[in-house]
Amino acid sequence: MKRIFMALIAAAISFSLHADENKTIKIISGETDPFTILALAPHFCKRENLNVELTQKPSSVFKIGSGAIIVLERGDYDMAAGFLNVSLLAAAKGADIKIATGVASGGTAIIAKPGLTSYESLKGKKIGISKNSTGELILTEEFENRGMRVTGDNPDVTYVNMQTDVMPIAFMKGSIDAYMASYPFSRNMVDSGAGVVVDNYSQISRMIFSTSKIDPIAEAKFNKCFKDMIMAVNNPKRKTEVELAKKHAESLGLKIVLPPSDDLSWKANYLVSEKEIKKGAKHLIETKQVPETFVVPQNFYKPL
């Protein structure tokens, strides 16, 4: 017992001594919101003596999720941004992947034609949704809580399954009366006067993954500065600090999209908890986007 105790003390001392060393971490992400918020990391992580080398790839080149798994398993990068459902499938197939940290998007909204400002006003209307998505789950729950049916004969609302990039076009043509839109596209539709917001909601899916091969000290450093970065973005008093980080990102040639700081209802990012991630995973399994036999590996979830 004494030997074990001494070994633990030695390990703790060693970790502490190396914690102040300069470290480098390589991260890859897509170049679309909300993943572009990672462009702030090189600035915020400097105070942790962590050099962040961020690579952004277009969606056509780097498929968010599946691409993240491939480059992580090859060892090309230490971390990768991606979606929860793809990572769950990869973990189910035995991939060496775990959640390091993550954010939720609070900028997704239900956009409807002017005059339709409540769930009740959508009765008898057509709504564009992506089948088995988090958006469909939330919409269904909201309607059912109001005694409105979305299935069976003569439903109160009609779901129209379509790709997300088709929804704005169908909305403008009048094929649908409302749809789920993510930031910043939802804001653009409202600013143009073509649509109004019925409700905003948060979507648990944007994660940053790592593997068992990552340097634990570098990972701990990144998680610390990432948390501080998210808190800064959502704190108007730290606007100057965020602007400096944004300029630093732009000087590195990185793309960055931030939510309007004067409109908290469109706030785009905040940290998610392990409980929220598991809730998102539960939904994905229930909607059969991952096998029912899926068992979450012990190392998949980490305290954020």
Side-chain angles (χ1 to χ4, degrees):
M1 179 66 79
K2 185 176 180 181
R3 287 183 179 179
I4 295 176
F5 181 71
M6 294 301 293
L8 290 173
I9 291 178
I13 291 174
S14 176
F15 189 92
S16 177
L17 290 174
H18 291 288
D20 288 333
E21 289 183 359
N22 287 321
K23 296 282 185 178
T24 296
I25 198 164
K26 297 171 68 177
I27 306 174
I28 186 170
S29 79
E31 57 181 16
T32 55
D33 176 82
F35 291 113
T36 61
I37 197 170
L38 279 171
L40 300 179
H43 176 85
F44 276 89
C45 290
K46 285 193 299 183
R47 66 192 68 177
E48 296 297 327
N49 293 323
L50 180 66
N51 175 41
V52 174
E53 296 181 0
L54 177 64
T55 299
Q56 294 178 323
K57 294 287 187 180
S59 298
S60 58
V61 177
F62 175 69
K63 294 182 179 179
I64 299 175
S66 57
I69 308 304
I70 293 170
V71 297
L72 280 179
E73 291 217 297
R74 279 204 312 241
D76 299 345
Y77 295 87
D78 303 299
M79 288 181 161
F83 292 117
L84 180 61
N85 54 349
V86 180
S87 64
L88 281 170
L89 284 168
K93 294 179 180 179
D96 176 18
I97 185 171
K98 62 183 179 181
I99 295 174
T101 186
V103 295
S105 169
T108 302
I110 304 171
I111 301 297
K113 295 292 185 182
L116 303 176
T117 57
S118 67
Y119 288 102
E120 290 80 3
S121 68
L122 296 176
K123 187 173 183 178
K125 306 299 182 183
K126 294 180 179 180
I127 304 175
I129 57 99
S130 292
K131 189 67 176 175
N132 290 334
S133 66
T134 307
E136 181 189 8
L137 175 72
I138 292 174
L139 268 178
T140 299
E141 184 176 359
E142 293 290 352
F143 285 129
E144 290 180 346
N145 287 341
R146 291 165 173 79
M148 300 170 68
R149 295 182 300 107
V150 298
T151 59
D153 296 330
N154 299 315
D156 293 301
V157 295
T158 301
Y159 284 165
V160 181
N161 184 31
M162 57 179 62
Q163 296 292 327
T164 54
D165 56 346
V166 176
M167 291 182 191
I169 300 172
F171 181 75
M172 295 301 293
K173 287 184 175 180
S175 302
I176 56 176
D177 304 291
Y179 72 104
M180 308 299 292
S182 60
Y183 177 87
F185 308 108
S186 51
R187 183 61 183 267
N188 295 341
M189 192 65 74
V190 172
D191 287 347
S192 69
V196 296
V197 175
V198 175
D199 199 3
N200 288 287
Y201 76 96
S202 301
Q203 185 172 10
I204 310 300
S205 62
R206 280 80 173 177
M207 300 294 138
I208 299 171
F209 308 107
S210 62
T211 72
S212 61
K213 298 185 290 289
I214 193 171
D215 182 333
I217 295 176
E219 184 179 37
K221 285 174 175 285
F222 176 79
N223 286 351
K224 184 177 180 180
C225 64
F226 181 80
K227 180 178 180 179
D228 183 54
M229 181 182 82
I230 298 300
M231 292 174 67
V233 169
N234 292 313
N235 185 351
K237 293 182 179 179
R238 298 179 67 179
K239 182 178 180 180
T240 300
E241 185 180 1
V242 173
E243 285 300 317
L244 285 174
K246 185 177 179 181
K247 288 181 179 179
H248 184 192
E250 292 170 344
S251 71
L252 296 174
L254 298 172
K255 293 185 178 182
I256 174 72
V257 177
L258 293 177
S261 59
D262 60 343
D263 190 345
L264 295 181
S265 66
W266 293 90
K267 187 168 58 175
N269 293 284
Y270 63 87
L271 288 166
V272 297
S273 67
E274 182 176 347
K275 180 179 179 182
E276 289 174 305
I277 294 171
K278 287 184 176 180
K279 183 178 180 182
K282 183 174 182 288
H283 161 63
L284 293 172
I285 293 171
E286 287 177 346
T287 54
K288 303 187 185 306
Q289 293 187 56
V290 295
E292 293 179 2
T293 54
F294 172 74
V295 177
V296 179
Q298 286 188 334
N299 72 333
F300 193 69
Y301 295 119
K302 292 186 58 186
L304 300 185

